[in-house]
């Protein structure tokens, strides 16, 4: 497994520092090794006490990890004082791997996490070794020795901070404006990265972002793609902040892991429904091309976020059976129909298709399911997803079943539901 290293302080509330770094790196598949520079007594409202680790202990931790583990990328967070900065730099100058500096100086609650000479030591000793530094506005003002009020100020600060060769990501969360604008300084050029401003950034945002970047670089991504992917992730992390105390919310460093767990659960639910369907559906309900069940991720962007049974469910040797396991991207037609449906009701994320027969139609109607035909003749130049969209707009609601009569092909009854369980509950009404 690929490994990265975080050199930072411990946060007793578990929302920032080493604790956030380990969770953020682990959420995207990187094992995080850790060197603790300080132990803090803090919560969501204040930093009550800081105990910096003895310098020789910091060195021993660092050397112990580096002599045993193939570290692919390193980040530094809270280093606290110049003595620790210089000790870390002395060890790292003999090792060649990407170094990302998060120049932590002030906690999110406003309390200092550094001595006064920290900025000078970072610039003099650590920045010559690093690939990227990720200051917020206040940290950038210390490093650039200038106030930052305007876009021109931000651009100049990036140039001053990065003049020794380091790339700079000046985070815009502490600046004013409707949107958050980050300034990415790379190879003497500035790129503005603009994002919708969410609520006030919570506890651990800077730590989590720099950890995402470090983890992506440990995976082998270049600095540009690492920054872009990580900035998208931190936007989701901030959007899903949660409350554990009386002060700042906690930025969610596990947002990617949650996303992956949902993807796996969806596969399991489709396989579970398919296993039930093969034992309950009559042969004449199964299209010759096969029957399939599809289930979408929440907020799916395309067919790649919608799973179905690979190669469908077909009759073979006298029995109905799955041709494969549930897999994302394996139900193109059903996917585009679902994407259109979810525009009007994001909870309607599942579908199963049947061969159209008058008997099945009558049974569905008898149990009270709302059935609407997709008019392929009227919308002959449109695809299934577009026809679905036009039909819903025309009738003003989402039915339980669409009749899909394909010109020159078989006709289908496409049952819709919120989930595989919802589909199964509807199946039990008429099977």
């Amino acid at each position: 497994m690929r490994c990265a290293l975080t050199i930072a302080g411990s946060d007793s509330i578990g929302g920032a520092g080493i604790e956030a770094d380990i969770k953020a790196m682990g959420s995207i598949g990187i094992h995080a090794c850790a060197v603790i520079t300080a132990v803090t007594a803090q919560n969501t409202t204040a930093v009550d006490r800081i105990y910096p680790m003895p310098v020789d202990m910091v060195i021993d931790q660092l050397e112990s990890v580096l002599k045993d583990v193939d570290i692919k990328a390193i980040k530094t967070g809270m280093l606290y004082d110049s003595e620790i900065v210089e000790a870390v730099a002395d060890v790292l100058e003999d090792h060649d791997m990407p170094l990302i500096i998060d120049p932590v100086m002030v906690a999110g609650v406003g309390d200092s996490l550094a001595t006064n000479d920290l900025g000078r030591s970072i610039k003099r000793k650590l920045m010559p070794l690093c690939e990227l530094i990720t200051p917020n506005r206040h940290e950038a003002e210390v490093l650039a020795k200038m106030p930052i009020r305007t876009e021109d100020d931000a651009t100049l600060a990036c140039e001053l901070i990065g003049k020794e060769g380091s790339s700079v990501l000046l985070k815009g969360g502490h600046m004013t404006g409707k949107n958050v604008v980050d300034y990415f300084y790379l190879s003497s050029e500035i790129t503005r990265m603009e994002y919708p401003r969410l609520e006030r950034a919570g506890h651990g945002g800077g730590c989590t972002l720099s950890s995402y970047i470090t983890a992506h670089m440990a995976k082998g991504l270049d600095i540009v793609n690492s920054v872009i992917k990580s900035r998208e992730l931190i936007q989701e992390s901030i959007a899903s902040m949660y409350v554990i105390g009386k002060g700042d919310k906690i930025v969610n460093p596990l947002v990617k892991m949650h996303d992956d767990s949902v993807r796996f659960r969806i596969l399991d639910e489709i396989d579970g429904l398919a296993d039930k369907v093969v034992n309950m559906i009559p042969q004449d309900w199964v299209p010759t091309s096969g029957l399939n069940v599809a289930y979408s991720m929440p907020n799916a962007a395309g067919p790649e976020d919608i799973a179905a049974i690979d190669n469908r469910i077909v009759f073979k040797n006298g029995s109905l059976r799955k041709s494969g396991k549930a897999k994302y991207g394996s139900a193109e037609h059903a996917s585009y129909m679902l994407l259109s449906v979810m525009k009007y009701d994001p909870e309607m994320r599942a579908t199963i298709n049947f061969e159209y027969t008058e008997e099945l139609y009558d049974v569905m109607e008898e149990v009270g399911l709302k059935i609407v035909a997709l008019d392929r003749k009227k919308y002959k130049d449109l695809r299934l997803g577009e026809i679905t969209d036009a039909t819903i707009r025309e009738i003003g609601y989402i039915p339980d079943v669409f009749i899909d009569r394909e010109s020159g092909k078989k006709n289908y009854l496409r049952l819709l539901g919120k989930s595989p369980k919802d589909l199964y509950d509807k199946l039990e009404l008429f099977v």
Side-chain angles (χ1 to χ4, degrees):
M1 189 173 190
R2 285 182 170 254
C3 300
L5 172 63
T6 169
I7 306 170
S10 173
D11 173 16
S12 51
I13 205 68
I18 287 285
E19 289 78 7
D21 295 346
I22 291 172
K23 286 182 278 190
M25 291 181 184
S27 74
I28 52 178
I30 293 295
H31 176 86
C33 299
V35 170
I36 298 176
T37 58
V39 176
T40 65
Q42 63 176 300
N43 54 36
T44 60
T45 65
V47 178
D48 296 320
R49 185 182 175 192
I50 299 173
Y51 176 75
M53 298 298 290
V55 174
D56 60 348
M57 184 58 187
V58 174
I59 295 172
D60 287 347
Q61 291 178 80
L62 187 52
E63 290 182 338
S64 184
V65 171
L66 292 176
K67 71 183 179 183
D68 181 46
V69 181
D70 181 15
I71 298 295
K72 299 297 186 182
I74 298 176
K75 69 151 283 189
T76 61
M78 175 188 176
L79 297 176
Y80 188 67
D81 62 27
S82 60
E83 205 175 355
I84 292 176
V85 171
E86 292 178 10
V88 168
D90 287 344
V91 175
L92 293 185
E93 67 181 359
D94 295 327
H95 295 81
D96 184 21
M97 69 277 289
L99 172 63
I100 291 82
I101 300 173
D102 180 16
V104 176
M105 298 179 189
V106 179
V109 294
D111 294 320
S112 175
L113 294 173
T115 57
N116 291 334
D117 57 350
L118 181 70
R120 180 171 54 83
S121 297
I122 288 175
K123 287 180 64 177
R124 185 170 58 88
K125 293 288 291 185
L126 208 54
M127 282 187 59
L129 307 176
C130 87
E131 186 147 350
L132 176 70
I133 187 166
T134 63
N136 60 30
R137 172 187 154 191
H138 304 303
E139 293 157 353
E141 288 178 333
V142 172
L143 294 169
K145 296 183 178 179
M146 60 171 287
I148 299 174
R149 301 290 182 269
T150 67
E151 184 164 309
D152 287 342
D153 292 340
T155 299
L156 177 58
C158 285
E159 293 172 350
L160 292 173
I161 296 168
K163 66 182 179 180
E164 300 301 326
S166 169
S167 300
V168 181
L169 179 63
L170 200 170
K171 300 171 292 188
H174 290 85
M175 301 181 197
T176 58
K178 180 180 178 181
N179 292 328
V180 172
V181 180
D182 295 344
Y183 299 88
F184 185 28
Y185 177 80
L186 176 67
S187 301
S188 300
E189 293 186 2
I190 294 278
T191 300
R192 294 174 82 258
M193 303 170 66
E194 190 165 347
Y195 300 86
R197 186 178 292 278
L198 303 174
E199 58 182 303
R200 179 176 179 267
H203 192 65
C207 303
T208 300
L209 174 60
S210 57
S211 294
Y212 283 151
I213 295 171
T214 306
H216 279 121
M217 296 195 75
K219 284 187 166 186
L221 273 66
D222 61 29
I223 188 170
V224 174
N225 283 301
S226 295
V227 168
I228 291 172
K229 286 181 177 290
S230 300
R231 189 55 184 80
E232 291 171 354
L233 269 180
I234 195 64
Q235 193 78 356
E236 295 180 40
S237 298
I238 294 171
S240 58
M241 291 192 298
Y242 52 87
V243 175
I244 64 168
K246 301 174 183 177
D248 286 348
K249 291 183 179 180
I250 303 294
V251 169
N252 181 9
L254 299 176
V255 64
K256 178 63 176 175
M257 183 175 290
H258 172 72
D259 182 66
D260 287 344
S261 69
V262 171
R263 293 183 77 88
F264 288 123
R265 191 187 74 232
I266 283 173
L267 295 175
D268 288 342
E269 290 187 37
I270 292 176
D271 277 325
L273 177 60
D275 290 339
K276 294 176 181 177
V277 164
V278 297
N279 295 314
M280 66 189 299
I281 302 298
Q283 182 172 352
D284 60 347
W285 291 9
V286 180
T288 55
S289 59
L291 176 150
N292 213 340
V293 52
Y295 188 25
S296 173
M297 285 281 292
N299 305 312
E304 68 276 8
D305 292 326
I306 299 175
I309 299 299
D310 194 25
N311 296 318
R312 308 191 179 197
I313 301 169
V314 298
F315 261 97
K316 189 173 182 180
N317 299 327
S319 63
L320 189 61
R321 61 183 64 186
K322 295 192 299 182
S323 297
K325 300 286 286 183
K327 179 181 176 183
Y328 283 94
S330 57
E332 184 176 3
H333 289 294
S335 294
Y336 286 115
M337 185 188 71
L338 276 180
L339 288 168
S340 293
V341 169
M342 288 189 293
K343 285 168 53 180
Y344 298 93
D345 185 350
E347 293 188 359
M348 295 294 288
R349 294 163 39 207
T351 185
I352 185 170
N353 69 303
F354 301 101
E355 179 85 3
Y356 176 88
T357 68
E358 291 293 340
E359 177 190 7
L360 179 55
Y361 173 87
D362 291 341
V363 172
M364 286 181 168
E365 195 173 46
E366 285 175 10
V367 298
L369 295 179
K370 295 178 181 178
I371 306 173
V372 171
L374 297 172
D375 194 339
R376 284 185 177 265
K377 289 184 178 179
K378 181 177 180 179
Y379 301 111
K380 61 182 179 180
D381 295 326
L382 300 182
R383 297 180 179 180
L384 178 58
E386 297 168 322
I387 296 172
T388 302
D389 182 70
T391 303
I392 294 172
R393 281 190 281 110
E394 183 178 331
I395 65 177
Y397 66 93
I398 298 171
D400 297 296
V401 183
F402 278 121
I403 303 174
D404 182 16
R405 295 186 175 95
E406 295 192 41
S407 177
K409 298 181 180 180
K410 292 287 187 179
N411 301 323
Y412 301 100
L413 289 163
R414 300 184 183 275
L415 180 66
L416 298 169
K418 295 182 178 181
S419 65
K421 182 183 182 304
D422 189 29
L423 291 177
Y424 182 75
D425 290 343
K426 290 180 178 180
L427 281 173
E428 285 198 309
L429 296 174
F430 59 86
V431 175

